[in-house]
Amino acid sequence: MPYIDKTYYDDEFQGEPVEEVTEFDRLAKRASEQIDQLTMFRINDIQKWPDFIQTQIKKATASIVEQYAISGGYEAVSGSTLTNVSIGPFSYQEGADGSVNDNIEKVAYKHLAPTGLLHRGVSVHG
């Protein structure tokens, strides 16, 4: 289930417009999946988290949706298009260093960093 809806994205976050509801829903679902991957699937039910953490999860998700919208959609970001081709001495590279997907993750990290959801250490109980 996506962590944000179109109302949050449009009214609270005020992101780059995504006019079609079905397209927004698809982007929100993909963005939520990316948040789950970044947090090692710790969130499960967003409602169980404190308000601050819920807000940061929503901001991170909305940031990813906005980057998808700005970049031309999910396929443009995660598609398998060639960006670096070499044939013998001929070489062609498209785009800048680093992928769009890396930049999207950096934006999400900034929102998620203060939540503890990115922690990769081992918990010790005792």
Side-chain angles (χ1 to χ4, degrees), residues 4 12 14-15 24 40 44 46 53 60 65 73 79 82 84 99 102 109 119 124 126:
I4 61 169
E12 283 291 316
Q14 299 179 349
F24 174 82
M40 297 177 64
N44 296 317
I46 192 172
I53 294 177
V65 170
L82 296 174
N84 191 353
S99 72
D102 289 342
Y109 264 87
H119 178 69
V124 178

Side-chain angles (χ1 to χ4, degrees), residues 3-92:
Y3 295 127
I4 61 169
D5 58 18
K6 190 157 175 35
T7 302
Y8 172 85
Y9 182 78
D10 291 341
D11 298 344
E12 283 291 316
F13 187 76
Q14 299 179 349
E16 181 73 20
V18 178
E19 298 302 326
E20 291 190 31
V21 175
T22 54
E23 177 65 6
F24 174 82
D25 290 345
R26 193 171 72 84
L27 295 178
K29 183 175 181 180
R30 296 294 172 267
S32 297
E33 290 168 355
Q34 194 163 4
I35 294 298
D36 284 337
Q37 292 169 5
L38 290 172
T39 62
M40 297 177 64
F41 301 89
R42 287 186 174 105
I43 298 170
N44 296 317
D45 178 10
I46 192 172
Q47 299 300 317
K48 75 175 184 175
W49 297 94
D51 289 341
F52 172 74
I53 294 177
Q54 287 183 41
T55 299
Q56 294 308 106
I57 292 167
K58 289 177 182 180
K59 285 180 180 179
T61 306
S63 295
I64 293 174
V65 170
E66 182 171 50
Q67 291 301 310
Y68 289 160
I70 290 170
S71 301
Y74 175 75
E75 289 78 11
V77 173
S78 63
S80 59
T81 58
L82 296 174
T83 58
N84 191 353
V85 178
S86 296
I87 302 172
F90 173 78
S91 178
Y92 171 78

